[in-house]
């Protein structure tokens, strides 16, 4: 089996599993209880908060634990929108290729009277800072732009974007779910006010994540109830999940300097090998991309059939994102970088992890090449392309 879908989720590390089990067994008290057993859980929670804060250059008081990336995205955006409402600023800037946790929240705000500008991400899948600068208005209350894209892996010029927002006095949120522990992220250096992260994208458990909110940014809580998370996120804390997240984050982050260059080298080999397939193309910038992400389009085939045949060979990959797989709409990300519907349908995302081997990369190249050729052998679209009834695009 070759697991090449790390952008959808990663396998929990041994450390994260062990930490989670021991916390569940030994630290099962309620952190809000005043007796010693509860206070031990509270200490574990605060230790985790310190660890998480240290990795991204924040202070512990700026970290709020959530149920994952989606919740953090929702809370960040809705908090900025609430501030905007108070000051009469109802304009938000984002991009067309954000995660649906962001896009659907923006859709909701549009119905409530907000004006949303979606910046172009161009063919290379990268926002141009000067276009952001031009889009900022007097009534802009928030800029929300993802750190790295979950489908095509392109990394945005976050530091420049953050600097522009800081200069203009506009709040800046970034969905950094794909970036944290895979590339260096520092909220101070990058001028970030709000940041979302999720444990299961860096070998932690699912259903847990965190929101960083700069000290000066007041949050709106999405869940009403107790005073947990300094009154910003009610509900008894998921202590085993949170401590396991912190353990996974520390471990993955500690290995990053060594792993990232090796994974990136294997990614480049993958790109080199797979783009040898005729009428194929890499999606997104070749340089400014996550170490583990390779995403392709192939003319004349359907991504879904490609996935099924790869699955038969023990290869787990995806077409579009996990959230849109299963629907017949082409990926909004591929459309955003200008791929036409037909081509966007024939896409494949391979997201490799730290444990990938050279042999597995060669096997991926071989299998994808064979399966694409096989699918084309009976594809009516491919026949039309060969016969000149349709034009090749790639
Ligand atoms: C996975 C992902 C999310 C959602 O995180 P969950 O913890 O699954 O809710 C949000 N944004 C991006 C970029 C992601 O890759």
């Amino acid at each position: 089996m070759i697991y090449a879908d790390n952008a959808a989720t990663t396998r929990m590390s041994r450390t994260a599993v062990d930490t989670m089990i021991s916390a569940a067994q030994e630290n099962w008290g309620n952190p809000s209880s005043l007796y010693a057993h509860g206070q031990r859980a509270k200490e574990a929670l605060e230790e985790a908060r310190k660890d998480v804060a240290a990795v991204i250059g924040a202070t512990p008081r700026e970290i709020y634990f959530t149920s994952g990336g989606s919740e953090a995205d929702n809370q960040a955006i809705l908090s900025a929108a609430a501030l905007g409402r108070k000051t009469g600023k109802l304009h938000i800037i984002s991009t067309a290729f954000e995660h649906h946790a962001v896009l659907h929240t923006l859709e909701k705000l549009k119905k409530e009277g907000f004006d949303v500008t979606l910046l172009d991400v161009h063919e290379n899948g990268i926002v141009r800072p000067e276009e952001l600068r031009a889009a900022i208005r007097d009534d802009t209350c928030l800029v929300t732009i993802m750190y790295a894209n979950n489908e095509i892996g392109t990394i945005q010029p976050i530091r420049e974007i953050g600097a522009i927002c800081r200069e203009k006095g506009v709040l800046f949120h970034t969905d950094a779910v794909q970036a944290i522990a895979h590339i260096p992220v520092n909220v101070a250096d990058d001028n970030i006010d709000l940041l979302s992260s999720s444990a299961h994208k860096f070998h932690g458990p699912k259903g847990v994540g965190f929101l960083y909110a700069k000290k000066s940014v007041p949050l709106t809580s999405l869940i009403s109830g107790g005073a947990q998370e300094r009154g910003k996120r009610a509900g008894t804390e998921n202590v085993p999940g949170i401590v396991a997240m912190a353990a996974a984050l520390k471990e993955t982050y500690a290995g990053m300097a060594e792993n990232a260059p090796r994974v990136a080298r294997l990614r480049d080999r993958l790109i080199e090998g797979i783009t040898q397939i005729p009428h194929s193309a890499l999606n997104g910038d070749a340089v400014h991309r996550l170490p583990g992400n390779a995403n392709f389009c192939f003319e004349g085939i359907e991504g879904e059939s490609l996935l099924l045949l790869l699955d038969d060979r023990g290869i787990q990959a995806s077409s579009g994102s996990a959230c849109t797989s299963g629907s017949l709409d082409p990926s909004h990300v591929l459309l955003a970088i200008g791929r036409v519907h037909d081509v966007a349908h024939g896409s494949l995302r391979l997201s490799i992890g730290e444990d990938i081997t050279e042999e597995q990369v060669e096997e991926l190249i071989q299998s994808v090449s064979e399966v694409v050729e096989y699918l084309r052998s009976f594809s009516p679209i491919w026949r039309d392309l060969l016969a000149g009834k349709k034009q090749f695009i790639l």
Side-chain angles (χ1 to χ4, degrees), residues 131-148:
E131 293 182 359
L132 167 67
R133 181 183 286 280
I136 294 178
R137 313 191 309 218
D138 289 341
D139 65 340
T140 306
C141 64
L142 173 70
V143 170
T144 172
I145 295 177
M146 67 201 318
Y147 213 111

Side-chain angles (χ1 to χ4, degrees), residues 113-269:
F114 280 82
D115 187 16
V116 176
T117 301
L118 297 181
L119 297 175
D120 195 347
V121 291
H122 304 278
E123 261 170 57
N124 63 354
I126 297 179
V127 168
R128 298 189 184 154
E130 67 274 16
E131 293 182 359
L132 167 67
R133 181 183 286 280
I136 294 178
R137 313 191 309 218
D138 289 341
D139 65 340
T140 306
C141 64
L142 173 70
V143 170
T144 172
I145 295 177
M146 67 201 318
Y147 213 111
N149 185 270
N150 49 308
E151 288 188 38
I152 58 173
T154 51
I155 300 169
Q156 305 306 309
I158 290 297
R159 193 162 297 185
E160 272 178 271
I161 291 171
I164 294 171
C165 293
R166 187 74 30 108
E167 179 198 323
K168 299 273 188 179
V170 177
L171 281 183
F172 174 43
H173 165 249
T174 186
D175 173 339
V177 173
Q178 291 289 332
I180 297 286
H182 300 289
I183 55 172
V185 174
N186 184 291
V187 291
D189 296 347
D190 294 344
N191 302 303
I192 295 166
D193 298 311
L194 293 149
L195 171 146
S196 313
S197 180
S198 175
H200 75 103
K201 303 291 173 71
F202 51 72
H203 306 287
K206 291 164 187 57
V208 56
F210 65 88
L211 171 62
Y212 153 81
K214 197 178 157 78
K215 247 195 322 282
S216 54
V217 181
L219 290 182
T220 306
S221 64
L222 304 183
I223 303 174
S224 310
Q228 291 90 354
E229 298 298 298
R230 305 178 56 232
K232 301 305 178 191
R233 208 278 182 180
T236 304
E237 302 87 342
N238 171 8
V239 179
I242 291 167
V243 297
M245 167 168 70
L249 180 58
K250 273 205 295 190
E251 184 180 46
T252 309
Y253 182 72
M256 188 174 79
E258 195 187 320
N259 286 322
R262 193 183 71 86
V263 174
R265 190 172 52 75
L266 290 173
R267 170 206 65 196
D268 289 341
R269 167 65 195 133

Side-chain angles (χ1 to χ4, degrees), residues 301 309 313 368-379:
I301 63 159
L309 291 178
R313 294 172 174 234
V368 171
S369 308
E370 286 171 12
V371 170
V372 169
E373 193 180 330
Y374 171 73
L375 286 171
R376 282 175 173 171
S377 71
F378 55 84
S379 152

Side-chain angles (χ1 to χ4, degrees), residues 304-315:
E304 312 287 312
S305 342
L306 180 57
L307 291 189
L308 294 177
L309 291 178
L310 289 175
D311 189 22
D312 284 345
R313 294 172 174 234
I315 295 169

